[in-house]
Amino acid sequence: MKTYYTQKRAQSYNQKWKVFSTKTHDTVFSAIDFTQVNKICENFKRPLRILDAACGTGLLLERLSHLIPHAELYGVDASEDMLAQAHLFLSAAHFIHTSLQGAEKADLPYEAASFDLITCTNALHNMNDPIGVLRGLRELLAPQGQFVLEDYAHRGFPFPWRIFEWFTRRMDPQHVRAYTLSEAQLFCREAGLQVIVAQNFPIDRVWRGWVIRAVAPQLQ
């Protein structure tokens, strides 16, 4: 599979995209309801279970491991080279090499309602069936669980978006399409998720992003 996230690019990813990753992950953390996270730990007397879907080099899971030190961490990604980097500094997490599919449980080898927190960052733009994937990930949410979705945003006039996205596809052939916050919220609703928090945010002079926190109503 031809992709940007292999070999030397995977090895240098954390450094090259450090500012971008820090800004987007900071925003993801601001969207997580950590009060609810703590209640789950207290009520169920067990470690929190966290899944990062399309986890890349594991940067988000590594930061979560410091905030929630007793959590069980799981990550899946389609790039073996990115997962190799994740293994280097997060050996305690459970990583699986697989791609997200628009199928039951996103075609992942986990039981339904397994995870208290599911994150998916900077990945929606690479999905051929975003609604199907979100629907599958929703099935993996445990009762009272929360789903946090983040990606860079489609930008409108006067930003030269068509040219920008053309170059993006040249760099990463897996790129399908970037979405606006409104489009992402619609995808969540069609996947059976209830949006609780939705906001746009600036990343740098070029990139803009959005973040959503959602829950599965039938699991509340």
Side-chain angles (χ1 to χ4, degrees):
M1 177 175 60
K2 191 175 181 182
T3 176
Y4 174 84
Y5 306 101
T6 56
Q7 301 176 5
K8 291 183 178 179
R9 286 171 172 169
Q11 295 170 14
S12 63
Y13 182 88
N14 288 353
Q15 187 59 40
K16 182 175 182 178
W17 295 95
K18 182 177 180 180
V19 174
F20 183 96
S21 297
T22 299
K23 179 65 176 181
T24 56
H25 292 171
D26 284 348
T27 305
V28 168
F29 291 136
S30 71
I32 296 172
D33 185 349
F34 284 101
T35 300
Q36 178 67 14
V37 166
N38 292 330
K39 284 182 180 179
I40 291 173
C41 295
E42 294 170 1
N43 293 342
F44 293 99
K45 309 294 184 185
R46 60 165 176 78
L48 196 82
R49 300 191 76 201
I50 301 174
L51 170 66
D52 189 15
C55 65
T57 60
L59 282 176
L60 183 63
L61 284 175
E62 195 272 337
R63 290 184 63 178
L64 284 168
S65 72
H66 296 291
L67 292 172
I68 315 171
H70 299 297
E72 294 179 4
L73 305 175
Y74 296 79
V76 299
D77 199 85
S79 169
E80 288 185 281
D81 293 336
M82 296 287 273
L83 287 177
Q85 298 302 307
H87 277 291
L88 289 177
F89 64 96
L90 199 58
S91 58
H94 308 275
F95 292 111
I96 294 178
H97 173 229
T98 188
S99 58
L100 301 171
Q101 302 294 331
E104 182 180 356
K105 295 181 291 186
D107 204 29
L108 298 178
Y110 305 118
E111 297 293 327
S114 290
F115 297 99
D116 306 296
L117 172 62
I118 297 176
T119 56
C120 184
T121 65
N122 301 313
L124 197 72
H125 60 271
N126 279 345
M127 297 179 187
N128 290 309
D129 183 9
I131 297 173
V133 171
L134 296 179
R135 186 179 293 116
L137 292 175
R138 173 185 57 77
E139 295 171 358
L140 295 174
L141 269 181
Q144 302 179 43
Q146 54 187 303
F147 181 92
V148 179
L149 179 68
E150 179 274 334
D151 203 358
Y152 63 78
H154 177 102
R155 297 183 64 180
F157 183 81
F159 188 82
W161 181 259
R162 289 187 178 181
I163 297 174
F164 179 79
E165 197 158 46
W166 181 84
F167 277 109
T168 300
R169 288 195 180 96
R170 294 273 294 181
M171 183 174 65
D172 181 13
Q174 282 185 273
H175 176 89
V176 178
R177 187 195 156 194
Y179 301 99
T180 65
L181 176 61
S182 296
E183 289 173 318
Q185 290 183 84
L186 178 60
F187 289 170
C188 287
R189 289 194 291 269
E190 292 187 7
L193 290 159
Q194 178 185 347
V195 175
I196 306 299
V197 171
Q199 64 182 50
N200 290 298
F201 67 97
I203 300 173
D204 58 26
R205 292 182 179 180
V206 175
W207 301 90
R208 298 292 183 270
W210 49 257
V211 66
I212 290 171
R213 184 176 85 241
V215 299
Q218 66 270 31
L219 298 181
Q220 289 183 294

